[in-house]
Amino acid sequence: MNPLQRLLVVDDDADMRLTLKLSLELAGYAVEVAANGREALEVQRMRPANVLITDIFMPDADGFEAIDSFRREFPGTRIVVVSGGAQFSKRDYLPDAALIGVDATLQKPFEIDALLQTLQSLT
Amino acid sequence: MRLHPQLSLLVAGAVAPVLVLAMVAGVLLVRHERQTMQSEAIGRTRSAMSAVDAEVRGHFTAIQALASSKALELSDLRAFYEEAQRVARGQSDWLTVRLALATESQVFDTTIPFGNDVPPMKDLGSFRLAVASRQPVVSDVDTSGARPTVHMRVPVVLDSVVRYVLTVQVAPESFKDVLRAQHLPESWVIALVDRNRRFVARVPPAASGRPVSDTFRAAINRSANGWFAGTTIEGTRTYTPYVTSELSGWVLGIAIPAATVDAAASRTVIGMGAGVAAALALALILGWYMARRIAAPVAALAAATEAMGQGKDVRVPDPARIDEIVQLHDALRTAAAAVRERSDLQEREKAALQAADRAKDEFLAMLSHELRNPLAALTAAAHVVKLAQPGSEAAVKARGVIERQTKHMARLIGDLLEISRVAMGKVALERERFNLAKMVADVINVWRASGRLERHFVSLGAKAVWVDADRARLEQVFSNLLDNALKFTPPGKRVNVSVGPERDQAVLQISDEGEGLAPGMNERMFDLFVQGERGLDRAAGGLGVGLALVKRLTEMHGGGVSAASGGPGKGATFTVTLPSVQPSAEQAAPFESAPRGAARQVLIVEDNDDTRAMLHEALAFSGHDVREARDGASGLALAAERAPDVALIDIGLPDLDGYEVARRLRAAPGGRRIGLVAITGYGQPEDQKRAFEAGFDAHLTKPVAPERLKQVMAGLR
């Protein structure tokens, strides 16, 4: 069993949240979900997770703000960033995310196995 | 060759003939002056000659007077000798008086005692001439003796026979006095010359008997009287007029130094030349100035033209007052303006191309993002379906995700294909004649029924207007604009739709109370792929093809679309215009604007101003008769005045609470049939339960969506 078993999935797309939660639960993780950065902080305070899996484009507080807040309030939490940003333009924030020191990045769409492998590698 | 020197040459060319004329005039003037001087000199020469002739005649007269002596007539030669001696003493110029027989025998010489031998006779030629001509004769200068002499010979005729010849010898120098008496300028030369071309007398002096200069002799040989340019015996160049005496055959010449004559001429020439030179210089200066006046603006224009080539402004400070230059200047400025306009246009086109390119890149990024998101959800869902128990909750949910996301992707891709088909002109319009207002109302009704309008107040003002158009395409146009308005307008705000005729056009307008437009977006937003600035959140996501589609489709119909906005936050209005047509007869049936439910008396009791106003508006829009109250007491008072059909009551009122108001309304006469609706900020099941217990028929949670309100209203009987 992976010791980092509690996950928090943050995505503004309900279907994305749902499918990630379902597939990660099938893999044996305990999964909490949140629709934005603010909600994620509230959830984390109640039921802290070991790993934060977050999108970057989100309403209210964007992914960068969420990451920043987690860094300060929950320094032990590992962070995985997923994004659909393309390589064409400034809208690609994944490299930026890597720069600010998140643990891993994944570009949408990704195979769940890839996400699972990434999670394994965080131990 | 440069223009300026050319023009100077032009002026010089114009001046040259004048110059030639001036030179000819100068030459003529000099010649005239010389002729004047010449004739004047000849006059002086003649008068000098006359003076000499008078002197000679004086001698002759004196000799003749002596010859008429009685002593000679009586042949008393001794007495005549004494008389002659006496007369000779009285004549200072007479050297001697000699008497000779016509036969050439000497009789006496007054300087020799009477009876003594007389030296032999000289100059026999003149003697014989006097005898032969019986006229007085003057000889040429005789230089055979100790001193030069001139013989004045007078024949003495007695009894018609030349018996004697009386000769007086005179010193040639004696004529000098006559010459001096002419009072000529010092530098001039006056000379008396005998028939042998030898000097008789000269001022300044020359030895009597000395031959004259070659040039003088040659001139006299040519002509008895005249004028010649020659050289004096001193070697001075002179102009000399001369005359020959008829009396003596002698020649008198006055030599005027060439320097004097030429000085006068050269004074004239110099004066003339100075005048001409001054005139020429003035002409050249004027020409230079005029040339500069022409050449400077031309050069400036040339420079300006060059500047124009480099894209700079064309400005010539002073295009002179020459019409052609001014015209050229104006033409150049016009051309420069045209060039600038063209380059501006090119700049704008370039900018537009760059903007389009940028928009395309952003579109690709956005497209990528929009497609990746549903793909990510699909991938995860597929994973779940693969692993989850068939029929399990997880599997069912995952199937739902797959269904929704594939639909979403299909719509995105459909949009893309649509815009590319329209853009490439592959869409053919299936035109029919229909009422645009009816179509708009139908779309709104369908959307209302599906719940898509429930977060906003959507109103429609419609007047029948007919178009000949593709109904499906115009539905697409309207749907896109309405969808846009809803997307950019916060919930609870208004979206107003109006459609109707305006002159010969059908005008469809969609106004919202949304974010409005950034300045400068009005035109650009209809371009393909362009979207307004948006935050990271993509709340208003989309591919940016909707408005481009709207524009292309309205243009295909011969119409247009425009956007206006008071600025960010002030809402936007999109206006579609289409050519309108006459309806066919059977179609022109009266049209009812919007279907409305049965009008009811509604009472709102709500202390919050915004909520009360919103409810009032929503109900009034649906055609209901609305009254309102701020608190429970006044609400009850209004109800007592006239019982409402429906009452909307806020639970948290300042005085009585909503439950209490409901109970009292129910208790009032006729209170049973009032439809009571509770409005609360809480949606918990306990709140609903409490409301129903208090007598409410329905329960609404704040914020109240208009569509939900409508449903509730419809649900009350």
Side-chain angles (χ1 to χ4, degrees), chain B residues 459-512:
Chain B
S459 71
L460 170 65
K463 280 182 194 154
V465 61
W466 298 75
V467 290
D468 184 31
D470 187 322
R471 184 190 293 266
R473 295 298 171 194
L474 287 193
E475 276 181 11
Q476 214 172 351
V477 166
F478 177 55
S479 300
N480 265 314
L481 290 176
L482 185 57
D483 188 44
N484 229 36
L486 294 173
K487 211 186 303 181
F488 288 100
T489 304
K493 296 274 190 180
R494 305 187 62 110
V495 173
N496 297 322
V497 178
S498 75
V499 57
E502 199 168 285
R503 284 193 287 277
D504 56 347
Q505 286 189 314
V507 176
L508 169 61
Q509 224 165 34
I510 296 101
S511 305
D512 61 48

Side-chain angles (χ1 to χ4, degrees), chain B residues 236-251:
Chain B
T236 311
R237 289 198 337 100
T238 53
Y239 295 105
T240 310
Y242 63 91
V243 289
T244 302
S245 168
E246 287 180 12
L247 178 68
S248 57
W250 288 358
V251 174

Side-chain angles (χ1 to χ4, degrees), chain B residues 150-186:
Chain B
V150 169
H151 308 277
M152 305 271 178
R153 301 188 196 273
V154 174
V156 182
V157 180
L158 294 173
D159 304 329
S160 305
V161 175
V162 176
R163 198 70 56 87
Y164 304 103
V165 173
L166 196 55
T167 298
V168 170
Q169 292 186 1
V170 175
E173 279 80 18
S174 65
F175 287 99
K176 264 189 205 160
D177 296 336
V178 183
L179 300 185
R180 275 203 194 88
Q182 300 307 310
H183 299 297
L184 296 178
E186 292 245 336

